[in-house]
Amino acid sequence: MSAEARLEILTRVNRAQPAEPTRFQRPARPVSGRDEHDVVEQFAEYAAEYRANVIRTSRSALPAVLGDLLQGQVQVAVPKDLAADWLPAALAVHRDDPDLTDLTVITAVVTGAAVAIAETGTVVLDHGPGQGRRALTLVPDHHICVVFEHQVVESVLEAVQRLHPSARRGQPLTWISGPSATSDIELSRVEGVHGPRTLDIVLVAGPP
Amino acid sequence: MSAGGIKPARPFPAAARDTLGNAQMRRNLRHATTTIREKRQRAVDELPNWEALRDEAAALKDHVMAHLSEYLLELEASVQARGGQVHWARTAQEARSIVAALAQRHGAQEVIKVKSISTDEIELNAGLAAHGIHAIETDLAELIVQLAEDQPSHILVPAIHRNRAEIRELFQRKLGAELLTDDPKALADAARTYLREKFLSTTVAVSGANFAVAETGTVCVVESEGNGRMCLTMPDVLISVMGIEKVLPTWQDLAVFLRVLPRSSTAERMNPYTSFWSGVTPGDGPQEFHLVLLDNGRTDVLADDVGRQTLRCIRCSACLNVCPVYERTGGHAYGSVYPGPIGAILTPQLLQLEDENANTLPWASSLCGACYDACPVKINIPEVLLYLRGQISDAQPPSVQAAAFKVAAWVMSEPHRFEGAIKLARTGQGPLVKHGAIHALPGLLAGWTASRDLPAFPRQTFREWWRQRPAAQEHGPDRPEDTSETAGNAWEPL
Ligand code: SF4
């Protein structure tokens, strides 16, 4: 049945599609030349407008900052390849393993990110090194996402360009703009229907 | 949504008369559309090159339509290369059978669904029910609609016609939730508890798709609540149903649509979650993926030189929120899963202008053009409306025309209906106005101004001034008000 349907649809499409008038030209994109500092500031501002908690820090203070944010959390998970020196030495964490970890008992998760976008206040995970599988940042209620300033790009366009290699490799991507939210009931915004109800973005200055 | 489909049960005028009697629904709707409209303008103004983006989005979609078979074949190959399976469905019936057979093969009694208008179009839930499979809607609004055994009234906020007290009562009755208040947060928590169990235990999920990239085989779903991420990640098997027009050539093409969609739709810079996947990823997410490519009338739309532009639609719902007719009648009156201006042109075309009731829809418009101005892919909805009117009038018996013309009369007879449209016309008219008058209207409206000038729209109508004067603000400027019954007319168009 399907082979027949496929052939018929393709035949119909072929007959129906117009002769293209002109070739589609992707417009040239002007380089904005905006100051890197401004771009990072805008990201911090817009992410906060989406009710993510944005915490600014330096590379050396990162473990202490994460320690503070995780105060009182007993079931913390991280991707199995998260750099050990991000975390406070004394902290006990679960290294994620699809067979070992029951994510429903995890209360907080710490990951890195692939790209962050100033234009929209978005962080993007391509689930590459330090970011874990998709469920890890979905089931627990508190996601702490570490973003380095050099990962912040100005626009959605730049982000898409930077993510092209990941997409070509077939990696899944998750774009996150603030915590999960709904406005379905009388348009009043409620945070956290299904995803994490708290999103902390730790924005790290300087080299990784 | 619970049932769905695209065949209206009644002609638009009959259905509209019913919904017009529902004052509560109209108040909810007006509040929603006004709020989104204002926010959207801010979100759009923030991007300096909005008009260029619209042009690019429209050109890209036209390019896809001109090469659709190539891109579909490329998409099929890249999804398969990533371990996914591709199915082709000529009709709604065929698509339902494919999904049902896949679910049955996995012994599923229940499937979880992320909001998808294409599965509503094919009436998937009823199709699955016929095979003893229960589809659980996981989008909060869709869940509300499903539990209430109701129909969605808006593409984006399907339960917009329900208020919090109604929802509390519904959750208590249907989910057994003990709700002390009707606070939206408490209501959302009740849904979270109920659905979490489903996300973690159900093995088959069904989704739609906002975009699919031919080059990389990447499928994309845009959402807010995380129910999408749950459905796309937690189950073993994922089935995505997608209209054939949703394919994009290259990965880079996503950039323009990810910029225009959220801003046009929820008026946000970006929606909270967007998920992309290609085929299956070992150790991460569903290990079986099926993409169902749906025709269901689309190739007929593609074959029509004027109607084809309808297939550019990215289902953002911006046209609904600016439509004075939609604001009055609500989505139900359109009798299809596609309401509002886009529904008025898409529904009859998908049904090949053969459905008597759907053929009244092109008259459900005041032709004010606000939908065209709002549309991020520049579908000239007024042009298509007039074109379809012509096609239908030529082909149909007089009774259909009579019913349809009544809609037009009803819309035109009450000038206050134009107020929203005029407001938008004023913001959109910029380049048309010279020396305080409009000398030429674009496209098919040009006939109206060929022999006379239209006075430029006033900056403020009397009624707007009246509402905004200080005394009115003491009652709170944000309170939704339905003044349409009592307000007089201060400005007559044309
Ligand atoms: S017709 Fe245009 S404005 Fe309306 S839903 Fe489609 S893309 Fe959005």
Side-chain angles (χ1 to χ4, degrees):
Chain A
M1 182 179 82
S2 193
E4 204 184 295
R6 176 177 183 274
L7 188 64
E8 187 180 331
I9 293 172
L10 286 168
T11 310
R12 289 177 65 88
V13 169
N14 263 325
R15 266 197 221 125
Q17 69 193 16
E20 197 193 9
T22 52
R23 251 189 72 76
F24 171 69
Q25 280 284 324
R26 205 168 270 109
R29 323 269 181 177
V31 182
S32 85
R34 254 175 76 190
D35 189 44
E36 261 171 57
H37 172 79
D38 290 351
V39 171
V40 170
E41 292 307 309
Q42 185 187 342
F43 168 71
E45 184 191 326
Y46 282 11
E49 278 183 27
Y50 268 127
R51 302 189 207 185
N53 309 310
V54 180
I55 303 109
R56 311 288 291 264
T57 189
S58 64
R59 178 63 190 87
S60 56
L62 180 60
V65 166
L66 290 176
D68 282 350
L69 289 170
L70 290 166
Q71 198 90 59
Q73 303 273 13
V74 279
Q75 302 287 348
V76 179
V78 300
K80 55 175 177 295
D81 54 358
L82 191 86
D85 62 356
W86 286 13
L87 300 163
L91 188 78
V93 296
H94 299 269
R95 291 268 162 185
D96 180 48
D97 178 324
D99 297 325
L100 291 182
T101 312
D102 174 8
L103 293 176
T104 59
V105 303
I106 301 298
T107 51
V109 53
V110 182
T111 72
V115 172
I117 311 168
E119 182 182 287
T120 56
T122 304
V123 292
V124 181
L125 310 186
D126 67 5
H127 305 283
Q131 299 161 59
R133 60 185 166 132
R134 283 172 285 172
L136 183 66
T137 45
L138 173 62
V139 180
D141 203 21
H142 185 172
H143 178 197
I144 302 172
C145 187
V146 177
V147 175
F148 291 87
E149 288 188 357
H150 70 86
Q151 293 182 305
V152 181
V153 298
E154 184 179 340
S155 67
V156 170
L157 175 73
E158 278 172 74
V160 166
Q161 276 165 348
R162 248 198 223 200
L163 293 163
H164 199 175
S166 319
R168 264 206 223 116
R169 283 191 296 267
Q171 285 170 231
L173 300 174
T174 307
W175 293 38
I176 301 170
S177 310
S180 145
T182 182
S183 302
D184 278 342
I185 301 170
E186 294 185 11
L187 295 183
S188 54
R189 189 179 165 102
V190 179
E191 254 103 66
V193 201
H194 305 299
R197 280 182 276 206
T198 307
L199 174 66
D200 293 331
I201 296 174
V202 181
L203 188 53
V204 186
Chain B
M1 145 167 162
S2 34
I6 47 175
K7 280 194 169 201
R10 291 185 295 165
F12 182 80
R17 247 189 305 279
D18 284 6
T19 48
L20 280 168
N22 186 341
Q24 173 71 51
M25 173 163 125
R26 212 164 53 246
R27 258 192 304 277
N28 295 355
L29 252 182
R30 170 165 303 213
H31 173 46
T33 52
T34 315
T35 310
I36 297 178
R37 212 149 62 203
E38 285 163 5
K39 267 185 72 189
R40 177 190 161 276
Q41 197 57 50
R42 284 200 295 274
V44 160
D45 289 345
E46 219 177 78
L47 289 182
N49 50 349
W50 184 250
E51 285 309 314
L53 278 175
R54 288 177 75 205
D55 286 332
E56 187 182 349
L60 229 161
K61 279 286 188 178
D62 285 347
H63 169 83
V64 171
M65 294 315 141
H67 297 269
L68 190 55
S69 54
E70 288 159 52
Y71 288 133
L72 287 172
L73 286 170
E74 191 183 347
L75 177 67
E76 179 184 54
S78 24
V79 169
Q80 286 168 346
R82 296 265 169 235
Q85 295 172 45
V86 178
H87 309 259
W88 301 73
R90 282 168 286 198
T91 60
Q93 168 62 44
E94 221 162 62
R96 286 195 299 266
S97 308
I98 292 167
V99 179
L102 290 169
Q104 270 176 328
R105 197 204 290 168
H106 292 276
Q109 319 240 289
E110 283 190 331
V111 302
I112 44 177
K113 275 184 69 196
V114 48
K115 181 168 102 174
S116 147
I117 195 160
S118 53
T119 62
D120 294 344
E121 174 188 321
I122 61 168
E123 299 178 72
L124 181 65
N125 293 8
L128 290 173
H131 290 89
I133 302 162
H134 177 59
I136 301 162
E137 295 292 350
T138 62
D139 175 82
L140 180 54
E142 293 285 337
L143 178 69
I144 293 166
V145 169
Q146 189 179 42
L147 292 174
E149 293 167 37
D150 197 357
Q151 301 284 318
S153 57
H154 191 287
I155 296 182
L156 192 74
V157 268
I160 205 161
H161 55 292
R162 298 256 164 203
N163 66 24
R164 59 178 77 187
E166 293 173 295
I167 296 166
R168 170 175 179 244
E169 191 276 324
L170 185 69
F171 280 8
Q172 281 179 322
R173 192 157 44 84
K174 291 284 180 95
L175 301 183
E178 296 208 8
L179 288 160
L180 299 173
T181 73
D182 60 9
D183 175 31
K185 182 156 175 18
L187 298 172
D189 275 346
R192 179 180 175 109
T193 309
Y194 166 74
L195 286 171
R196 180 146 289 218
E197 199 270 314
K198 301 287 180 195
F199 290 135
L200 296 174
S201 63
T202 311
T203 52
V204 177
V206 178
S207 84
N210 288 89
F211 309 103
V213 179
E215 175 200 3
T216 53
T218 315
V219 186
C220 164
V221 163
V222 169
E223 50 123 7
S224 295
E225 292 174 9
N227 64 308
R229 289 180 70 190
M230 286 282 183
C231 291
L232 303 169
T233 311
M234 306 309 288
D236 304 330
V237 181
L238 172 62
I239 306 165
S240 302
V241 181
M242 181 186 110
I244 50 172
E245 79 284 14
K246 298 258 177 94
V247 62
L248 294 177
T250 69
W251 171 256
Q252 231 196 88
D253 298 324
L254 282 167
V256 63
F257 292 101
L258 290 174
R259 291 179 102 180
V260 294
L261 177 59
R263 287 177 202 260
S264 301
S265 161
T266 46
E268 291 173 296
R269 293 181 181 124
M270 189 59 78
N271 48 288
Y273 294 136
T274 307
S275 299
F276 304 84
W277 71 98
S278 339
V280 295
T281 305
D284 186 348
Q287 295 300 297
E288 190 176 317
F289 170 58
H290 299 270
L291 181 63
V292 181
L293 297 173
L294 176 71
D295 180 345
N296 204 32
R298 284 164 176 77
T299 44
D300 290 309
V301 187
L302 184 68
D304 189 296
D305 287 338
V306 181
R308 182 179 304 129
Q309 56 185 311
T310 313
L311 296 178
R312 290 183 200 150
C313 177
I314 55 172
R315 315 276 189 258
C316 72
S317 75
C319 57
L320 277 61
N321 296 324
V322 298
C323 177
V325 175
Y326 172 83
E327 186 175 294
R328 283 290 284 183
T329 64
H332 293 159
Y334 295 81
S336 153
V337 298
Y338 300 110
I342 179 62
I345 61 171
L346 182 59
T347 303
Q349 289 190 89
L350 288 178
L351 297 170
Q352 289 145 45
L353 305 186
E354 277 168 12
D355 184 283
E356 282 231 333
N357 296 338
N359 285 358
T360 61
L361 289 171
W363 278 267
S365 166
S366 65
L367 297 179
C368 68
C371 49
Y372 182 24
D373 290 339
C375 179
V377 287
K378 281 197 153 174
I379 300 173
N380 190 337
I381 297 175
E383 179 188 41
V384 181
L385 284 166
L386 287 174
Y387 169 75
L388 294 177
R389 287 181 190 186
Q391 302 281 101
I392 292 163
S393 300
D394 288 347
Q396 296 288 330
S399 66
V400 175
Q401 282 183 45
F405 281 127
K406 255 189 246 160
V407 190
W410 162 76
V411 169
M412 302 298 191
S413 67
E414 292 185 55
H416 65 251
R417 251 171 227 140
F418 276 87
E419 192 188 38
I422 295 311
K423 206 188 274 175
L424 278 144
R426 258 182 285 120
T427 37
Q429 74 184 353
L432 301 171
V433 183
K434 276 196 197 98
H435 311 299
I438 298 171
H439 299 276
L441 288 170
L444 284 163
L445 301 176
W448 291 359
T449 51
S451 58
R452 63 190 156 173
D453 288 346
L454 182 69
F457 298 113
R459 298 193 67 79
Q460 200 177 31
T461 66
F462 174 76
R463 288 186 55 223
E464 287 166 350
W465 171 82
W466 178 257
R467 256 192 250 139
Q468 283 164 12
R469 75 204 199 283
Q473 276 165 15
E474 283 165 23
H475 302 293
D478 286 330
R479 253 213 354 236
E481 279 181 335
D482 189 349
T483 51
S484 56
E485 263 69 33
T486 50
N489 167 43
W491 194 85
E492 295 250 11
L494 300 177

